[in-house]
Every structure is written in structure tokens, then in C-alpha cells.
Amino acid sequence: MDTPVFVNPPAAAIAECLRRVRTIAVVGLSAHPGRPSHDVAAALQRMGYRILPVNPAISAALGETAYADLAALPLVPDLVEVFRAPEHVAAIVDDCIRLRLPALWLQDGVIDAVAAARARAAGIFTVMDRCVWRDRVRLD
């Protein structure tokens, strides 16, 4: 079977998503400064986004309680940002679909076209292989 071709939404749709978002669940957020997930999430937090760490290996990051998985979150995030290896994306997409989460962002290098296409088919706004922070900076 051929791998589906996944094309990111147009720039205007990405900008609209980032303007609408207020809470971001960061799957794979590290508590260690210097790690890309930590630095990007910290920068987004400074921009005014509420960051919800999702990582079963930590209890907190960036002054927020960490949660073991998306189902454990106390609220529905506006966006799920993924900093996990591509082989974990399919299961994360399963959770996003099951929980009816509105938007999914696969960070630079996190590429799974099949899972991204499945998320989009389920009605989830999906961006793949882009940096949410860089896209957000371009809005200013």
C-alpha cells in the first residue's frame, strides 16, 4: 500500500490556528533546559500560552503539573504538540481521535504521514514536521 501524501494546511490556516490556541499539551516535554521540547515550550509559555506537560517520567515542568498521557489532562487542550519519535505518533493520534482533540502539531522531524492523514480524516487540524514556535514568531 502506498504511503499517503500529507500536505500541511496553508499558511493562513496555520496562523489562524495559532491565534485561536490558548492551551498546548506538549507530549514528550522534557523538564531539562536545553532540550528542544523544553526550550520551545518555555518560549511558547513566555508568549502567553498555557503549557500542559505530558510525560509519565516527570512530575512537573515549567511550573505546571505533568500528566502521564493525554487522557489524564484536567482539560481539553486547544493543541497537542508532539516531541516524540515517529514510531510513537500512531498511538498519540489514536488518543487524539478517541478524546476528540481539535488540533495536532508534529514538531520538526516528527514524521508519520499515515498517522497525520488519519488524524486529518478524523477532523483534527494537523500540521507535521514544522516548529510551532517558529510559525508563531512569524505572526508577530
Side-chain angles (χ1 to χ4, degrees), residues 32 36 43-44 55 57 63 76 78 90 95 101 103 107 112 134 140:
H32 302 290
L44 291 169
N55 183 338
V76 175
D78 299 314
D95 289 344
L101 301 179
Q107 198 59 30
D112 183 335
R134 278 196 309 269
D140 291 339

Side-chain angles (χ1 to χ4, degrees), residues 111-127:
I111 301 168
D112 183 335
V114 172
R118 204 162 41 85
R120 181 172 288 155
I124 298 170
F125 182 87
T126 305
V127 176

Side-chain angles (χ1 to χ4, degrees), residues 8 27 36-37 40 80-86 89 104-112 127-135 138:
N8 279 317
V27 179
S37 62
V40 168
V80 174
E81 180 181 13
V82 179
F83 279 94
R84 295 291 317 271
V89 172
L104 172 68
W105 195 293
L106 304 177
Q107 198 59 30
D108 284 343
V110 182
I111 301 168
D112 183 335
V127 176
M128 182 173 71
D129 193 27
R130 289 179 70 137
C131 178
V132 67
W133 175 78
R134 278 196 309 269
D135 275 299
R138 289 184 189 120

Side-chain angles (χ1 to χ4, degrees), residues 51-99:
I51 301 300
L52 301 169
V54 179
N55 183 338
I58 63 174
S59 60
L62 301 171
E64 294 279 353
T65 299
Y67 300 91
D69 55 38
L70 292 170
L73 292 172
L75 55 90
V76 175
D78 299 314
L79 176 68
V80 174
E81 180 181 13
V82 179
F83 279 94
R84 295 291 317 271
E87 61 265 22
H88 299 288
V89 172
I92 294 166
V93 166
D94 290 343
D95 289 344
C96 289
I97 292 169
R98 184 173 44 77
L99 297 168

